[in-house]
Amino acid sequence: MLPFVAGAGLANIDLTFSGLPRLPNEGEELYADEFSIHLGGGSLGTLVNVSKLGIPVRVGTYLGDDMFSRFVFKELETLPVTITNLYKADHGAIPLNISVAALTAHDRTFLSYTDKKAPADNELQAVFELCRGARIVDMQMGYIEVYRKLKEEGSTLIFDMAWEDAVPRSVYESYLELADYWTANRQEALKFTGCKDVSSAARVLRNWLETPIIKLDASGCLIYDGEEHIIPPVREFVHIDSTGAGDAFLAGLIYGLYHQRPIEDAVLMGNITGGKCVTAKGALTAFVTEPELLYLFEKYRNADGQQKSTDVPKNTLYTDNERGLDALVGEGPSFKRTEKPDMPDSLS
């Protein structure tokens, strides 16, 4: 059996209102130019992206008999993932995360709802059996006892949970003590560490992680392994919508780690998959295929992929003593849109 990647968590649905002139004031109604419904991000979004790169994937999620769960069932039938439904509760609840995404020309805002409670003991056992033997596991809140067992059995654990002010810092620490990697963004790294800059935050994060990774939005990623490296973004795609970019980045990172690439290569792959995601509206609309990923990886790792001399060379890792983070801040993406790939016909 081929090595596989696994994870469990809520399915997300995004109800997207785009083309808004601005966000409405309280009590005000505004009409959007466009409306669409998409599968959202989270663990399911990450693992769907991973499956598109040719890696066997096992996903546990929660689907009931409501209209939103039926929509997810239908969407998953077109994707190459093996799904285990963990939902065993009575009929009537909506065990998903549902988000209204409001997109203006400048930013996006979300309003979300979920009815899912903490996993029961039988769910935890089902998640353990689902993930047991995985080469890489995507970590989500609520399954820490499962991750302790998987860590003992040798799985690589990647923590990818957004920062929530209501969650005590000690809870995040308990997950980071098990995690091999945490793909924090700039704000999450600063909030967790209490630092004022990402360089200091990366050094603090080494108390838990051998190689901290901090996503810097349009400025690429910072890696700290005792020295500070910046992996610049891939400027290959036209930016449309950032929804799901973090999940897509994680998929590229997982691909690199799955194939035992150096961490710098894995992060560059994450920059490619994250960059492709933003070329269409919705978290799971634009994918990178494995051949496309490998082509772009070779292009931007080699001299042929360098930008014009006034830009940052894409194949360069910068240390503290060379051109560092400050030189990259404020450099926005310049992307070229590509077509959505064909979907497979059936669930694997």
Side-chain angles (χ1 to χ4, degrees):
M1 181 177 67
L2 288 174
F4 62 95
V5 174
L10 293 178
N12 292 272
I13 291 182
D14 291 339
L15 311 178
T16 303
F17 294 80
S18 55
L20 287 165
R22 56 177 173 80
L23 296 179
N25 298 315
E26 187 172 359
E28 180 185 17
E29 180 180 21
L30 291 178
Y31 279 86
D33 291 339
E34 297 180 22
F35 171 77
S36 57
I37 304 177
H38 303 280
L39 280 177
S43 183
L44 179 60
T46 293
L47 295 173
V48 165
N49 273 285
V50 171
S51 73
K52 287 287 188 176
L53 299 173
I55 294 176
V57 165
R58 298 181 186 178
V59 181
T61 194
Y62 302 83
L63 299 171
D65 63 350
D66 58 280
M67 61 181 290
F68 296 108
S69 293
R70 291 194 294 272
F71 173 82
V72 174
F73 268 122
K74 183 177 179 181
E75 292 295 299
L76 291 177
E77 288 178 348
T78 69
L79 300 171
V81 292
T82 300
I83 300 293
T84 297
N85 189 1
L86 302 169
Y87 188 60
K88 305 298 181 185
D90 294 334
H91 297 300
I94 303 176
L96 303 94
N97 191 74
I98 301 171
S99 295
V100 173
L103 277 60
T104 68
H106 307 290
D107 209 341
R108 55 203 173 107
T109 300
F110 295 94
L111 181 66
S112 298
Y113 165 83
T114 182
D115 190 45
K116 183 68 183 67
K117 307 298 189 297
D121 289 344
N122 62 329
E123 294 174 36
L124 295 175
Q125 183 60 32
V127 172
F128 175 67
E129 296 298 334
L130 172 77
C131 298
R132 192 172 193 178
R135 176 171 288 182
I136 299 173
V137 174
D138 176 41
M139 301 174 71
Q140 299 289 309
M141 287 286 191
Y143 308 100
I144 192 164
E145 296 303 324
V146 172
Y147 300 139
R148 287 196 177 100
K149 295 178 183 179
L150 294 172
K151 183 76 171 182
E152 291 174 357
E153 296 194 357
S155 293
T156 295
L157 305 181
I158 303 181
F159 187 48
D160 184 48
M161 277 299 295
W163 179 268
E164 297 180 25
D165 290 333
V167 177
R169 185 178 186 274
S170 60
V171 173
Y172 285 92
E173 289 179 348
S174 65
Y175 283 85
L176 290 181
E177 287 168 358
L178 297 173
D180 295 285
Y181 300 96
W182 179 30
T183 53
N185 62 32
R186 185 197 309 265
Q187 292 77 15
E188 291 162 349
L190 296 181
K191 284 189 175 183
F192 176 79
T193 62
C195 296
K196 295 183 178 180
D197 62 88
V198 292
S199 295
S200 299
R203 286 160 173 78
V204 172
L205 285 171
R206 283 207 94 195
N207 292 318
W208 293 271
L209 304 164
E210 181 177 352
T211 309
I213 301 167
I214 301 177
K215 296 176 290 188
L216 304 174
D217 301 318
S219 299
C221 283
L222 180 150
I223 302 173
Y224 186 71
D225 58 4
E227 290 189 333
E228 186 175 299
H229 307 283
I230 297 294
I231 312 298
V234 173
R235 305 179 186 280
E236 183 81 9
F237 310 106
V238 173
H239 178 273
I240 302 296
D241 175 22
S242 297
T243 304
D247 302 314
F249 167 85
L250 180 55
L253 178 74
I254 288 174
Y255 179 91
L257 296 174
Y258 177 90
H259 290 288
Q260 301 177 325
R261 298 271 194 165
I263 187 61
E264 295 89 350
D265 289 356
V267 169
L268 174 56
M269 290 176 170
N271 286 350
I272 293 168
T273 51
K276 179 63 176 289
C277 175
V278 306
T279 65
K281 294 174 184 175
L284 291 172
T285 306
F287 297 94
V288 170
T289 63
E290 185 178 24
E292 183 182 6
L293 173 61
L294 295 177
Y295 167 77
L296 290 172
F297 171 75
E298 292 299 329
K299 175 180 178 180
Y300 290 106
R301 187 179 64 168
N302 296 325
D304 288 345
Q306 290 185 359
Q307 302 173 41
K308 59 186 180 181
S309 60
T310 56
D311 289 336
V312 179
K314 298 174 185 173
N315 61 326
T316 303
L317 301 180
Y318 295 105
T319 66
D320 290 81
N321 295 323
E322 298 175 307
R323 185 178 181 187
L325 175 64
D326 292 341
L328 291 172
V329 173
E331 295 185 359
S334 176
F335 299 108
K336 179 180 179 181
R337 186 169 189 173
T338 56
E339 294 299 319
K340 177 181 175 183
D342 293 333
M343 295 289 190
D345 294 329
S346 61
L347 194 68
S348 62

